[in-house]
Structures are given as C-alpha cells and as structure tokens.
Amino acid sequence: MSDQLVDERASAAPLPGQVGGQAVMLIPHREPGMEETTLPRDYQRILAAVREAAGPFKARQVGDGLGIDVSVRAKLEPLRGRLVRLVDRGWLRKLPDGRFTIRL
C-alpha cells in the first residue's frame, strides 16, 4: 500500500512537459522556504526587477527595468502574462487596480 502511495505522489509531482511537441516551461507553486532559484532564469530576472521597483508597479515599469521596448504592445503583453503566471503560482500579488506587488 505504501509503495502505491509513493508512486502516486511521484506521478502527481509537476514534470517538465510538452504541448504540441514543444517544451513547456513549468513555474512551481511557491511554498514556504522555497528559493527564487527554483524558477527559470527569465522569471528570476523579472523578480529582481520587481524588487528594485519602489512599491506597487505596473508591467510597463518592470519592462523598463528589463530593457524591453514597452512602447510596442506585442513585447509588453508576454511580460504581463509572465507576471500573471507568477501571481497564479504565489510569487507575486496583483492589486485590484492592476498593479503588482512582491509577496512577502
């Protein structure tokens, strides 16, 4: 019985996957004691830019900090999607006005 539970838990753990034949980047859910180094490098850079921002920030401010051309919407929207993904996984918090903050 315990072997079966171990196998089920191992199969429930998030694994790198593929969608449509392409590799998918999985962002882990934040847990107590988890370090930012578990995130992919791009997401680590985003969190570093967020930490440099003073107070709540908009995606455009993070884009400026990362050197992204924020005047082009097609370059800003993927960043906004990454920020929302970090919110969904518990790394950031989104305020009702659309700004983001670092989760303590």
Side-chain angles (χ1 to χ4, degrees), residues 5-103:
L5 288 174
V6 169
D7 292 340
E8 288 177 9
R9 286 185 183 149
S11 65
L15 299 172
Q18 289 194 347
V19 174
Q22 294 183 338
V24 177
M25 186 184 315
L26 297 177
I27 308 303
H29 288 274
R30 184 177 181 200
E31 296 176 6
M34 185 178 275
E35 297 292 325
E36 291 177 10
T37 56
T38 59
L39 295 172
R41 184 75 182 133
D42 289 345
Y43 288 86
Q44 290 178 27
R45 287 184 53 226
I46 290 170
L47 285 178
V50 167
R51 290 194 189 289
E52 291 176 8
F57 59 91
K58 292 188 176 195
R60 186 173 303 274
Q61 292 170 298
V62 176
D64 283 336
L66 293 173
I68 295 173
D69 183 9
V70 295
S71 65
V72 179
R73 185 179 179 111
K75 293 188 179 188
L76 186 60
E77 287 306 313
L79 173 62
R80 185 172 283 118
R82 288 180 175 157
L83 289 167
V84 169
R85 195 168 300 121
L86 287 169
V87 168
D88 292 342
R89 302 305 196 289
W91 294 93
L92 294 176
R93 193 171 66 125
K94 188 173 181 180
L95 300 175
D97 64 358
R99 295 181 302 163
F100 299 88
T101 61
I102 197 78
R103 178 165 256 158

